């Protein structure tokens, strides 16, 4: 049986970030479409994870990426409309139990563009 991965998200002026918290992931598949993201993988114990998110707003799927680490898979999706805040990540105004705001990375946007650019460059290097 599949189960959703615990997922954290946060919003920035140009990108929306999602972190799927699965340690030692294998068979990672991330499909980023203009209005939807589909994530699946297995962990070291063979448990299957699957998340499907209809996104709040449109993203540029061609300028969106993911980065896998030992502890999680982070996706960053380029917003179609930059500098427009997303009040939530999902199109529907419901919050799934597995989805939380990443308050460690949530910030006021003022003067944040340089920080964001550095983060994206750091991800892109991998």
């Amino acid at each position: 049986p599949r189960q959703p991965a615990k997922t954290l998200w946060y919003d920035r002026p140009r990108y929306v970030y999602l972190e799927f918290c699965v340690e030692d992931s294998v068979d990672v598949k991330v499909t980023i479409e203009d209005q939807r993201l589909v994530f699946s993988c297995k962990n070291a114990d063979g448990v299957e994870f699957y998340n499907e998110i209809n996104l709040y707003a449109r993203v540029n799927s061609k300028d969106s990426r993911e980065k896998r680490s030992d502890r999680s898979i982070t996706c960053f999706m380029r917003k179609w409309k930059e500098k427009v805040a997303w009040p939530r990540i999902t199109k529907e105004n419901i919050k799934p139990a597995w989805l939380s705001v990443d308050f460690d990375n949530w910030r006021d946007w003022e003067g944040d563009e340089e920080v964001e650019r550095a983060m994206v460059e750091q991800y892109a290097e991998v």
Side-chain angles (χ1 to χ4, degrees), residues 9-33:
W9 83 281
Y10 58 101
D11 187 30
R12 284 287 194 275
R14 289 196 177 121
Y15 289 84
V16 176
Y17 295 81
L18 276 167
E19 182 179 9
F20 297 99
C21 304
V22 180
E23 291 190 20
D24 302 323
S25 57
V26 293
D27 298 336
V28 176
K29 291 186 188 72
V30 177
T31 305
I32 299 171
E33 299 170 357

Side-chain angles (χ1 to χ4, degrees), residues 10 14-20 28-33 36-39 55 59-68 72-79 116-126:
Y10 58 101
R14 289 196 177 121
Y15 289 84
V16 176
Y17 295 81
L18 276 167
E19 182 179 9
F20 297 99
V28 176
K29 291 186 188 72
V30 177
T31 305
I32 299 171
E33 299 170 357
R36 186 173 81 123
L37 179 139
V38 179
F39 166 82
L55 298 169
V59 297
N60 182 346
S61 55
K62 294 184 182 25
D63 192 15
S64 299
R65 295 190 183 87
E66 76 274 350
K67 177 187 173 191
R68 186 193 162 281
S72 65
I73 299 90
T74 302
C75 301
F76 51 107
M77 299 174 290
R78 182 77 178 250
K79 293 177 177 181
E116 184 183 34
R117 192 171 297 124
M119 284 173 62
V120 169
E121 285 170 6
Q122 172 192 340
Y123 280 125
E125 287 170 12
V126 174

